[in-house]
């Protein structure tokens, strides 16, 4: 960034300005966070736990990032005998692996049941999983509350707890334009910190020079990469989340 982007930036907009490595690194981290939030995906594989992980679970990650995804409501309609097959859309994508699916019901610390992982059918790109009974038998005692809730078709909040890993992987090879967007965003943050006037002029010894800085043009360049422009295939958002469809009511 210093040798390539900031050299051009200093020559055209910020002459004579020197920036520390810590300052540049802070802007890169801020740009990564902003782009991750806008794309709604982790930029690196991240472990998601339904509950706060133990220290042993954190140590097993070897420094990899982790976060909490508190669980999903049990909706009886999703587990009826129809074409849904226990369909569930995870909050984070793309999905890499699932280490545990637990049905946690009210009734104390022992009221939970782990589902066989070979029951899972996954669309990893879009973070979709379905529960399809297969070879592994599943037998678990159900307490009176669970029987009543299931029998009455009740929704149980946060009953489905899933530990999984999701996020973009090998971004340099799979999404090189994402790296460019992060660097561009970091450079914009540096420009905005300088509080440059939109236009100005300098006059000395009978010579005059004018300059203009329109940061919105830089933002438009990033938006084209993120969301695509006219005649494009939709940009990074479409590449990651798929084609977006909107229904308009009559």
């Amino acid at each position: 960034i210093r040798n390539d982007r900031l050299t051009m930036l200093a020559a055209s907009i910020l002459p004579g300005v020197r920036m520390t490595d810590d300052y540049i690194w802070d802007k890169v981290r801020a740009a990564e966070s902003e782009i991750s939030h806008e794309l709604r995906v982790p930029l690196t594989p991240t472990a998601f736990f339904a509950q706060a992980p133990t220290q042993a679970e954190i140590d097993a990650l070897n420094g990899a990032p982790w976060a909490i995804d508190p669980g999903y409501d049990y909706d009886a309609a999703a587990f009826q005998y129809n074409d849904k097959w226990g369909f569930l859309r995870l909050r984070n994508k793309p999905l890499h692996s699932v280490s545990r699916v637990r049905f946690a019901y009210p009734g104390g610390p022992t009221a939970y049941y782990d589902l066989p992982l070979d029951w899972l059918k996954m669309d990893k790109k879009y973070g979709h999983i379905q529960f399809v009974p297969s070879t592994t038998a599943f037998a678990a005692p159900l307490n009176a509350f669970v029987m009543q809730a299931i029998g009455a078709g009740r929704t149980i909040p946060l009953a489905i707890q899933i530990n999984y890993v999701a996020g973009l992987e090998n971004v340099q090879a799979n999404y090189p334009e994402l790296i460019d967007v992060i660097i561009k965003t970091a450079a914009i943050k540096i420009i905005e910190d300088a509080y440059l006037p939109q236009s100005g002029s300098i006059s000395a010894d009978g010579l005059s020079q004018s300059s203009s800085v329109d940061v919105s043009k830089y933002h438009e360049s990033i938006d084209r990469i993120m969301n695509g422009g006219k005649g494009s295939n939709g940009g990074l958002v479409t590449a990651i989340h798929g084609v977006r469809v909107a229904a308009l009511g009559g």
Side-chain angles (χ1 to χ4, degrees):
I1 291 178
R2 181 188 296 281
N3 295 335
D4 298 332
R5 305 302 176 98
L6 294 184
T7 298
M8 293 186 293
L9 189 66
S12 59
I13 299 176
L14 301 173
V17 175
R18 297 185 59 85
M19 286 158 271
T20 66
D21 290 344
D22 288 341
Y23 174 78
I24 297 173
W25 179 239
D26 286 344
K27 295 305 175 186
V28 173
R29 293 181 59 197
E32 287 183 343
S33 179
E34 179 178 329
I35 297 302
S36 176
H37 294 157
E38 187 169 348
L39 287 175
R40 306 189 310 280
V41 292
L43 301 185
T44 187
T46 302
F48 290 91
F49 296 92
Q51 297 178 338
T54 65
Q55 188 58 50
E57 289 174 323
I58 295 175
D59 294 341
L61 297 176
N62 295 320
W66 62 271
I68 301 293
D69 187 359
Y72 301 81
D73 294 349
Y74 169 85
D75 184 357
F79 292 86
Q80 293 173 351
Y81 294 102
N82 53 29
D83 58 354
K84 290 184 178 180
W85 286 98
F87 177 84
L88 192 65
R89 179 183 292 109
L90 296 178
R91 297 186 181 99
N92 301 281
K93 66 178 78 164
L95 177 64
H96 293 281
S97 62
V98 175
S99 59
R100 187 177 71 189
V101 177
R102 170 168 290 179
F103 281 71
Y105 300 104
T110 61
Y112 60 81
Y113 314 103
D114 291 336
L115 200 70
L117 293 180
D118 62 4
W119 283 24
L120 300 183
K121 305 300 179 183
M122 297 179 281
D123 183 341
K124 292 187 175 182
K125 178 176 175 63
Y126 298 114
H128 297 168
I129 64 175
Q130 290 178 279
F131 305 103
V132 182
S134 60
T135 55
T136 303
F138 176 60
L142 301 178
N143 60 29
F145 174 86
V146 174
M147 290 298 293
Q148 180 182 9
I150 293 178
R154 300 291 181 84
T155 296
I156 307 175
L158 303 181
I160 306 174
Q161 300 181 355
I162 304 177
N163 289 1
Y164 62 99
V165 176
L168 300 180
E169 187 176 34
N170 197 11
V171 170
Q172 290 84 351
N174 297 329
Y175 303 99
E177 67 271 43
L178 178 56
I179 302 297
D180 186 47
V181 166
I182 291 173
I183 294 175
K184 279 183 166 65
T185 302
I188 288 176
K189 291 183 179 297
I190 293 172
I191 295 174
E192 291 176 333
D193 273 3
Y195 296 102
L196 296 172
Q198 191 170 23
S199 63
S201 62
I202 301 174
S203 179
D205 298 330
L207 301 176
S208 63
Q209 179 180 359
S210 62
S211 63
S212 63
V213 178
D214 188 354
V215 178
S216 66
K217 299 299 183 182
Y218 295 91
H219 286 288
E220 289 176 4
S221 173
I222 290 175
D223 184 66
R224 283 196 301 271
I225 300 174
M226 294 283 286
N227 299 294
K230 184 178 181 180
S232 74
N233 293 323
L236 275 170
V237 173
T238 299
I240 293 171
H241 295 285
V243 177
R244 290 162 288 180
V245 178
L248 301 178

